[in-house]
Amino acid sequence: AQSVTQLDSHVSVSEGTPVLLRCNYSSSYSPSLFWYVQHPNKGLQLLLKYTSAATLVKGINGFEAEFKKSETSFHLTKPSAHMSDAAEYFCVTNTGGFKTIFGAGTRLFVKA
Amino acid sequence: GAGVSQSPRYKVAKRGQDVALRCDPISGHVSLFWYQQALGQGPEFLTYFQNEAQLDKSGLPSDRFFAERPEGSVSTLKIQRTQQEDSAVYLCASSLRTGGRDTEAFFGQGTRLTVV
């Protein structure tokens, strides 16, 4: 069965330093993978998606993620954190039909 | 509006009360999803509609949960005889296509249900 595992429930970085949010996936075939961000009292917003084209995917707000089949990973990165990046981030996979499976989420804290 | 709209934003229900949660998807979106997000957890799939047809309801936790989308647009999630464990944020999402590998879903802000 397909699943995603977010390896950290909380990540804390200082403003201006790199961000790394880790996600491993489990799938019997090439998966579709997404990263969503959830700000307090706001709806989930798509950051980026991987659908078997380029392995390095660029998203909004300077975020990017790299699909690594050998490591079954799809980690989210950003070179320099901004205070406005503080939010909950979800790694998500699609079963290829319509059922979307969310990871448990990683809360990102950004210190001034 | 341009996005997915859910109402009410907040609902407090007494245990045993029935509630109805509404979702207005983006106009023209074929697919509609409901998710339940417990505090501190990721959203969990409840059910999926393609137009008015409910193609998957495998995530509904009990027969107290019922969803409909009679005209293929607005959807209602109904919970009968609410229990404390039903307290969660209920998210609705819609997408333009009928599924597939790169289908992007657009989410509403959710309805926070608290059962007291």
Side-chain angles (χ1 to χ4, degrees):
Chain A
Q2 279 189 271
S3 66
V4 287
T5 302
Q6 292 183 244
L7 302 176
D8 308 290
S9 59
H10 300 85
V11 170
S12 182
V13 300
S14 297
E15 191 174 22
T17 65
V19 175
L20 170 64
L21 305 183
R22 299 183 295 165
C23 174
N24 285 0
Y25 70 89
S26 171
S27 175
S28 56
Y29 54 89
S30 184
S32 294
L33 293 162
F34 309 75
W35 276 98
Y36 279 84
V37 61
Q38 188 176 39
H39 290 275
N41 298 317
K42 291 189 177 180
L44 285 153
Q45 181 184 19
L46 180 68
L47 281 177
L48 50 81
K49 61 183 178 183
Y50 165 77
T51 57
S52 78
T55 56
L56 181 62
V57 182
K58 293 188 183 297
I60 62 172
N61 301 336
F63 284 94
E64 62 181 39
E66 186 171 6
F67 175 76
K68 292 187 176 180
K69 187 175 181 179
S70 61
E71 299 176 8
T72 62
S73 69
F74 189 59
H75 301 336
L76 182 70
T77 60
K78 182 173 180 177
S80 176
H82 191 271
M83 295 297 288
S84 61
D85 295 328
E88 187 91 19
Y89 291 80
F90 293 97
C91 182
V92 180
T93 189
N94 182 297
T95 62
F98 43 77
K99 191 167 181 176
T100 302
I101 299 170
F102 283 74
T106 299
R107 182 163 294 278
L108 176 65
F109 297 94
V110 182
K111 299 174 290 186
Chain B
V4 178
S5 178
Q6 291 187 246
S7 60
R9 288 291 314 283
Y10 304 91
K11 176 69 178 177
V12 178
K14 292 185 178 180
R15 194 172 60 167
Q17 187 179 353
D18 296 349
V19 299
L21 313 180
R22 178 186 170 106
C23 173
D24 282 83
I26 295 173
S27 178
H29 277 199
V30 170
S31 296
L32 186 144
F33 310 79
W34 283 99
Y35 294 85
Q36 180 189 59
Q37 186 176 18
L39 189 64
Q41 303 293 321
E44 299 222 357
F45 172 83
L46 293 177
T47 187
Y48 163 73
F49 289 87
Q50 181 178 316
N51 295 309
E52 69 278 3
Q54 189 174 20
L55 298 188
D56 189 333
K57 54 182 181 179
S58 62
L60 296 176
S62 78
D63 58 8
R64 296 185 295 104
F65 287 71
F66 172 76
E68 60 183 6
R69 193 187 185 198
E71 297 179 359
S73 55
V74 171
S75 177
T76 304
L77 177 67
K78 298 179 179 178
I79 309 173
Q80 297 177 321
R81 304 181 304 280
T82 52
Q83 304 294 315
Q84 282 194 315
E85 61 263 28
D86 300 334
S87 296
V89 175
Y90 291 85
L91 296 169
C92 177
S94 70
S95 68
L96 184 59
R97 294 194 291 271
T98 59
R101 293 176 51 79
D102 63 348
T103 300
E104 177 184 352
F106 295 85
F107 284 80
Q109 292 183 271
T111 294
R112 182 178 296 279
L113 173 65
T114 303
V115 181
V116 298

